[in-house]
């Protein structure tokens, strides 16, 4: 059997998975919506990946997770590597573009910028607070305009005179958009204006004070939007590189990192049939009131975290014994 490596990037909006071989060739990949339930999303993801992989030829010996639910999903999948998004995206991108200097990433609910020098991350920033520069903002505005988000980019390219949309925050942008639509601005101009607003918001917030050098690689779900790519090229005066798998870079990064870890895992696709549950336990032994997350596999506690000291762990163990 040949060795293969699984990488999972699980965020609040989307869940991405990839399986690669020892030479980083993609054997299977999937992108689906998290729908507010990371445990269910990861089961659906594994089901899809299983159908794509030649199980007689490959055995998964490394598993990596990243994204906001990386710890939980790492426990469920028995991952040997759990990494933050910055590291995961940098490693994934560097594997394809070794000369990359700047990574723009805009996902469903957050955005980040990563600055690289000689293949090493030297600076980064994340924005998880303002939605005005993210994919969920573009989706909600396209719905407001009666458009599918997929049509957004091509329509923006038709604009000769993009509408100026206030980009400071979601609330301002929304009310400005309604106002401009009522004033009779063309749909393509409003859409192009929104793409520009996303880019302006991104560069003024997450990119504030950062030295942006080329090559620039743009990734995350919004990198599929050709209107936003054009707006980035106009704003930076540089060519923007978008890989065909730009939405999978975080997953690719952790799959590669799982390969570098010495410890091999015994991954089993049967997690679909296993019941996982989480429970929050509040430790009241001091004023910190830590909320401890407990993860159960078929009713048995397999991991817990969130306690700032051992007294919280002792409390969880005591509760388990008395169950
Ligand atoms: S886990 Fe430790 S720090 Fe947190 S509430 Fe309990 S005693 Fe306090």
């Amino acid at each position: 059997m040949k060795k293969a490596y699984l990488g999972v990037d699980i965020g609040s909006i989307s869940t991405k998975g990839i399986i690669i071989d020892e030479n980083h060739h993609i054997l299977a990949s999937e992108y689906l919506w998290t729908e507010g339930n990371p445990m269910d999303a990861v089961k659906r993801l594994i089901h899809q990946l299983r159908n794509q992989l030649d199980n007689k030829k490959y055995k998964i010996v490394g598993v990596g997770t990243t994204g906001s639910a990386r710890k939980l999903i790492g426990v469920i999948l028995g991952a040997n590597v759990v990494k933050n998004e910055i590291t995961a995206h940098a490693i994934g991108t560097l594997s394809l573009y070794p000369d990359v200097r700047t990574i723009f990433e805009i996902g469903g609910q957050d955005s980040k910028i990563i600055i690289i020098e000689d293949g090493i991350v030297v600076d980064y920033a994340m924005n998880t607070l303002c939605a005005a520069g993210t994919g969920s903002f573009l989706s909600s505005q396209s719905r407001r305009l009666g458009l599918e988000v997929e049509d957004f980019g091509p329509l923006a390219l038709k604009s000769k005179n993009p509408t100026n949309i206030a980009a400071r925050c979601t609330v301002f942008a929304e009310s400005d958009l309604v106002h401009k639509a009522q004033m009779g601005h063309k749909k393509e101009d409003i859409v192009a204006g929104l793409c520009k607003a996303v880019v302006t918001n991104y560069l003024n917030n997450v990119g504030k004070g950062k030295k942006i050098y080329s090559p620039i690689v743009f990734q995350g779900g919004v990198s599929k939007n050709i209107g936003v790519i054009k707006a980035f090229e106009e704003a930076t005066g540089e060519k923007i590189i978008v890989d065909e798998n730009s939405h999978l870079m975080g997953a690719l990064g952790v799959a590669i990192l799982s390969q570098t870890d010495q410890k091999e895992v015994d991954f089993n696709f049967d997690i679909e049939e296993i019941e996982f549950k989480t429970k929050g336990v509040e430790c009241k032994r001091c004023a910190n009131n830590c909320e401890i997350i407990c993860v159960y596999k078929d009713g048995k506690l397999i991991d817990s975290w969130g306690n700032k000291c051992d007294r919280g762990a002792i409390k969880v163990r005591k509760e388990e014994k008395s169950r």
Side-chain angles (χ1 to χ4, degrees), residues 119-131:
I120 293 166
V121 175
V122 290
D123 197 6
Y124 70 89
M126 280 183 83
N127 180 11
T128 51
L129 296 176
C130 179

Side-chain angles (χ1 to χ4, degrees), residues 181-305:
Q182 283 167 351
M183 280 170 66
H185 285 249
K186 286 190 206 157
K187 226 176 219 185
E188 63 255 39
D189 292 338
I190 293 177
V191 165
L194 272 171
C195 292
K196 269 183 84 170
V198 165
V199 166
T200 307
N201 183 287
Y202 177 91
L203 293 173
N204 288 340
N205 287 294
V206 73
K208 193 175 179 183
K210 300 279 177 273
K211 289 207 171 76
I212 294 168
Y213 294 109
S214 176
I216 303 169
V217 177
F218 177 27
Q219 53 206 34
V222 176
S223 65
K224 301 288 174 195
N225 186 318
I226 195 153
V228 178
I229 298 170
K230 186 178 170 220
F232 263 130
E233 291 192 326
E234 285 173 358
T236 60
E238 300 285 353
K239 182 178 160 35
I240 303 291
I241 301 165
V242 180
D243 190 83
E244 60 174 324
N245 292 311
S246 60
H247 55 300
L248 298 170
M249 285 298 154
L252 175 64
V254 277
I256 291 170
L257 285 167
S258 79
Q259 187 183 3
T260 54
D261 194 82
Q262 295 293 318
K263 201 174 89 206
E264 289 194 351
V265 300
D266 187 20
F267 178 76
N268 188 336
F269 277 102
D270 289 337
I271 70 146
E272 282 176 66
E273 279 102 57
I274 300 171
E275 191 196 34
F276 291 98
K277 273 202 174 134
T278 55
K279 191 176 99 180
V281 175
E282 201 182 345
C283 178
K284 292 183 178 152
R285 293 183 176 186
C286 84
N288 280 331
N289 282 0
C290 294
E291 163 113 32
I292 306 170
I293 308 293
C294 301
V295 185
Y296 297 86
K297 179 180 173 184
D298 284 337
K300 210 170 148 239
L301 181 74
I302 53 168
D303 205 353
S304 65
W305 59 83

Side-chain angles (χ1 to χ4, degrees), residues 2-5 18-22 24-29 49 52-54 57-60:
K2 291 183 176 177
K3 291 180 179 181
Y5 304 87
I18 204 164
I19 299 175
I20 55 170
D21 68 11
E22 286 183 280
H24 305 170
H25 294 133
I26 298 174
L27 304 170
S29 68
L49 292 173
Q52 292 175 39
L53 188 73
D54 185 345
K57 209 165 151 194
Y58 291 98
K59 175 166 173 41
I60 291 178

